[in-house]
């Protein structure tokens, strides 16, 4: 295929309730060609386009872990580079963009929409643009009006990241081969806490399987159900359904049907009532299975954009320090520095937590903690999400507080992965309680060893009880804050 395609990407999931601004320093900066063969969305895009023997021009790929609002200079400089590439190296027959889809800055609520719109203005109306997104993207009308194809993950936990990039690339290639498709967009004014649902079971799985069957039958070419990342605080905020098909009538019909069925799941997607930390501790003490109870500390999940410096679970465990085998983690640079200065085997009092976001948490005082081990904090992830990839927690100190083992790190990376503990001498399988700072992704790795997962009401920038959060810009109505009905669903439309 003698076609030219430009590819670039920027990925960051924003929590508006995280007070720490995401500067360029937290981003990994690649040329897209460097990500060939990797298992992310960019790898899926690049591999598929490269295999098609098109002329590829590689732009920048920026990526950061979920965190606070992005510094405007980061995305504006990225966009400036993209537009400069298009002007200097184009014209291009197609554009491929990899973006998370739930990125906001200090001044811009819809960074991804702004980028797609600017690229559209630069290349004109005839050049197809394909975008790949996380399942938790907040897909706005601006994105839908300017991108020809938008593909999101189907799975949560996210086990199809690479495949999502492949899907978007294939739609772009088909378009360039003369098989242009229509994409319909429908929006549902609802959000749900990310800990509360999964695509591995229940009605959401059934809905996705029905849509996949339509793709397999050839009725539609692609679909995505977007559960909007709930810790944004923006004026245009909704879950969305996108359907790609050969004709507008089919795309809109299927999108409207999927949107109605998605709407019908709004209560189920909120999950069961949360447990308190004390209730989970009591379950762990009463558990006789020989497997650990997993306390899901989703409110302080780095993957959801929190700061990981909450020691609230540890504080609740301290009265049981001599009777419960537990594993907990916390980010705390001063505590790590103290542990390294004292050395292995030393016993000392520590103050843990609230060093990154003191407005969200309070410090916890721990007496007579023994420094069990000290580490350089890079480790290989066990997966299945990210299996074989590397995570880096900076320096790590493991503190022994009675029977409680505390993973104290400079950076809490890879918290969802079981090797976050195992790589530093803490084996969750032999604990009664394991506290994991993640939402749903942890289940992929912990299910084989866990007695049960307990979604827990804890503090953090990714608060699990959405109605307790201080939204300032959200639209009305928006479920679960206000009840909605089918009439509130934005009917499917093909903008292009």
């Amino acid at each position: 295929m003698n076609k030219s395609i430009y590819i670039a990407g920027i990925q960051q999931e924003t929590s508006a309730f995280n007070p720490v601004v995401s500067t360029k320093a937290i981003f990994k900066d690649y040329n897209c060609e460097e990500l060939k063969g990797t298992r992310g969305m960019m790898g899926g895009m690049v591999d598929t386009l490269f295999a098609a023997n098109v002329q590829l021009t590689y732009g920048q790929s920026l990526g950061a872990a979920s965190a606070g609002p992005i510094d405007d200079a980061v995305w504006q400089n990225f966009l400036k580079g993209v537009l400069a590439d298009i002007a200097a190296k184009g014209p291009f027959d197609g554009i491929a963009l990899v973006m998370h889809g739930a990125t906001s800055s200090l001044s811009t609520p819809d960074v991804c929409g702004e980028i797609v719109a600017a690229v559209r203005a630069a290349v004109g109306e005839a050049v197809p643009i394909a975008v790949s997104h996380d399942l938790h993207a907040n897909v706005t009308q601006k994105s839908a009006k300017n991108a020809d194809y938008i593909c999101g993950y189907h799975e949560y936990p996210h086990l199809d990241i690479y495949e999502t990039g492949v899907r978007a690339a294939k739609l772009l290639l088909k378009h360039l081969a003369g098989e242009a498709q229509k994409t319909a967009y429908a929006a549902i004014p609802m959000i749900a806490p990310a800990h509360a649902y999964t695509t591995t079971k229940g009605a959401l799985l059934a809905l996705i399987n029905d849509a996949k069957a339509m793709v397999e039958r050839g009725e539609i070419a692609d679909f995505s159900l977007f559960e909007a990342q709930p810790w944004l605080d923006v004026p245009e905020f909704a879950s969305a359904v996108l359907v790609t098909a050969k004709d507008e009538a089919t795309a809109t019909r299927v999108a409207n049907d999927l949107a109605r069925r998605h709407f019908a799941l709004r209560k189920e997607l909120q999950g069961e009532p949360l447990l308190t930390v004390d209730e989970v501790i009591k379950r762990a003490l009463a558990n006789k299975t020989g497997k650990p109870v997993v306390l899901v500390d989703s409110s302080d999940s780095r993957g959801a954009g929190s700061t990981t410096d909450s020691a609230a679970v540890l504080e609740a465990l301290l009265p049981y320090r001599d009777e419960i085998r537990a594993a907990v983690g916390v980010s705390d640079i001063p505590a790590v520095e103290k542990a390294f200065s004292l050395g292995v085997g030393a016993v000392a009092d520590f103050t843990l937590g609230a060093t990154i976001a003191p407005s969200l948490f309070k410090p916890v005082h721990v007496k007579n903690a023994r420094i069990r081990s000290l580490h350089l904090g890079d480790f290989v992830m066990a997966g299945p999400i990210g299996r074989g990839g590397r995570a880096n927690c900076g320096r790590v100190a493991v503190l022994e507080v009675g029977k409680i083992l505390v993973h104290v790190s400079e950076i809490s990376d890879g918290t969802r992965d079981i090797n976050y503990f195992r790589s530093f001498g803490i084996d969750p399988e032999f604990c009664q309680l394991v506290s994991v700072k993640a939402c749903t992704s942890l289940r992929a790795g912990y299910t084989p060893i866990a007695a049960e997962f307990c979604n827990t009401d804890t503090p953090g920038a990714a608060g699990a009880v959405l109605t307790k959060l201080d939204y300032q810009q959200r639209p009305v109505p928006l479920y679960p804050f206000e009840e909605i009905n089918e009439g509130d669903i934005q009917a499917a439309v093909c903008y292009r």
Side-chain angles (χ1 to χ4, degrees):
M1 182 186 291
N2 188 25
K3 298 290 184 179
S4 62
I5 296 175
Y6 178 77
I7 184 167
I10 182 169
Q11 297 184 67
Q12 190 258 12
E13 182 180 38
T14 302
S15 170
F17 306 105
N18 182 334
V20 182
V21 174
S22 296
T23 65
K24 180 64 165 25
I26 74 166
F27 282 79
K28 295 179 180 178
D29 190 348
Y30 298 97
N31 178 279
C32 292
E33 187 173 15
E34 296 177 76
L35 298 175
K36 187 186 302 179
T38 60
R39 294 301 297 176
M41 278 195 289
M42 183 60 76
M45 276 264 207
V46 169
D47 289 355
T48 305
L49 296 174
F50 183 81
N53 200 30
V54 298
Q55 182 182 335
L56 271 178
T57 298
Y58 299 101
Q60 184 181 29
S61 178
L62 280 179
S66 302
I70 188 172
D71 186 336
D72 283 293
V74 175
W75 75 269
Q76 289 171 356
N77 287 336
F78 166 80
L79 178 58
K80 187 182 298 183
V82 169
L83 297 180
D85 281 347
I86 290 171
K89 301 173 184 178
F92 296 103
D93 298 304
I95 303 291
L97 296 173
V98 174
M99 297 186 289
H100 182 280
T103 308
S104 64
S105 75
L106 293 175
S107 65
T108 304
D110 181 21
V111 167
C112 297
E114 294 293 334
I115 290 171
V116 176
V119 172
R120 171 59 66 200
V123 301
E125 290 298 316
V127 176
I129 298 174
V131 178
S132 65
H133 276 332
D134 191 291
L135 176 146
H136 292 109
N138 179 47
V139 182
T140 63
Q141 291 187 49
K142 182 169 284 187
S143 285
K145 288 177 178 178
N146 287 289
D148 296 271
Y149 307 106
I150 300 176
C151 297
Y153 310 158
H154 289 155
E155 299 183 22
Y156 188 43
H158 302 320
L159 300 174
D160 62 334
I161 298 173
Y162 179 90
E163 290 75 11
T164 301
V166 171
R167 285 164 43 216
K170 285 184 174 179
L171 288 172
L172 181 59
L173 291 170
K174 283 186 177 181
H175 188 113
L176 295 178
E179 298 179 50
Q181 309 273 320
K182 290 288 188 179
T183 297
Y185 164 84
I188 311 134
M190 67 182 192
I191 58 175
H195 75 274
Y197 56 88
T198 174
T199 62
T200 62
K201 61 182 180 180
L204 184 58
L205 173 61
L207 177 57
I208 288 172
N209 283 343
D210 286 351
K212 284 182 177 179
M214 285 189 274
V215 174
E216 291 171 1
R217 293 195 301 267
E219 184 176 345
I220 60 175
D222 196 75
F223 76 95
S224 298
L225 303 180
F226 290 100
E227 309 291 348
Q229 197 275 91
W231 302 289
L232 293 171
D233 186 12
V234 293
E236 187 178 350
F237 197 13
S239 295
V241 173
L242 281 91
V243 173
T244 300
K246 290 182 179 179
D247 60 85
E248 183 171 344
T250 301
T252 54
R253 173 180 58 80
V254 174
N256 281 327
D257 178 61
L258 293 179
R260 284 191 293 269
R261 292 180 62 186
H262 196 185
F263 156 83
L265 303 182
R266 65 195 182 283
K267 291 183 172 63
E268 179 179 323
L269 293 174
Q270 300 301 310
E272 298 295 326
L274 297 171
L275 298 171
T276 66
V277 177
D278 285 339
E279 287 172 333
V280 178
I281 292 171
K282 289 175 182 176
R283 287 193 181 202
L285 289 169
N287 172 44
K288 304 300 181 185
T289 67
K291 295 182 176 183
V293 169
V294 178
L295 186 154
V296 181
D297 185 7
S298 61
S299 295
D300 197 32
S301 166
R302 188 181 187 211
S306 194
T307 51
T308 65
D309 61 322
S310 169
V313 173
L314 174 61
E315 182 178 34
L317 282 167
L318 287 177
Y320 306 92
R321 58 185 286 167
D322 295 322
E323 58 181 305
I324 188 167
R325 297 187 310 278
V328 297
V330 62
S331 293
D332 193 315
I333 292 175
V336 172
E337 291 175 343
K338 179 175 180 177
F340 269 78
S341 70
L342 293 173
V344 173
V347 176
D349 296 345
F350 282 82
T351 298
L352 298 175
T355 55
I356 302 170
S359 63
L360 297 178
F361 310 117
K362 63 178 182 177
V364 174
H365 303 290
V366 180
K367 292 184 177 296
N368 299 320
R370 176 178 172 270
I371 302 167
R372 177 169 172 164
S373 56
L374 300 171
H375 310 263
L376 296 178
D378 62 310
F379 66 93
V380 177
M381 291 184 286
I385 300 174
R387 181 175 177 83
R390 299 198 74 85
N392 193 338
C393 294
R395 293 183 300 170
V396 172
V398 176
L399 304 183
E400 195 171 48
V401 183
K403 294 184 177 181
I404 303 167
L405 296 177
V406 188
H407 176 293
V408 188
S409 61
E410 294 179 314
I411 308 166
S412 285
D413 192 16
T415 54
R416 71 188 176 198
D417 195 272
I418 202 165
N419 276 0
Y420 169 82
F421 287 119
R422 277 184 174 162
S423 294
F424 306 103
I426 305 171
D427 196 334
E429 193 166 359
F430 297 102
C431 291
Q432 294 165 275
L433 183 147
V434 183
S435 177
V436 183
K437 294 178 186 287
C439 292
T440 294
S441 56
L442 76 156
R443 295 173 186 264
Y446 274 92
T447 293
I449 70 156
E452 64 173 327
F453 294 89
C454 296
N455 292 322
T456 311
D457 188 358
T458 54
V465 184
L466 302 184
T467 52
K468 291 183 179 179
L469 300 178
D470 186 25
Y471 293 91
Q472 297 293 314
Q473 301 183 66
R474 70 167 181 85
V476 177
L478 181 68
Y479 188 83
F481 308 96
E482 295 86 28
E483 185 54 85
I484 58 174
N485 56 54
E486 284 194 8
D488 293 311
I489 300 172
Q490 178 190 316
V493 57
C494 293
Y495 288 113
R496 304 191 58 76

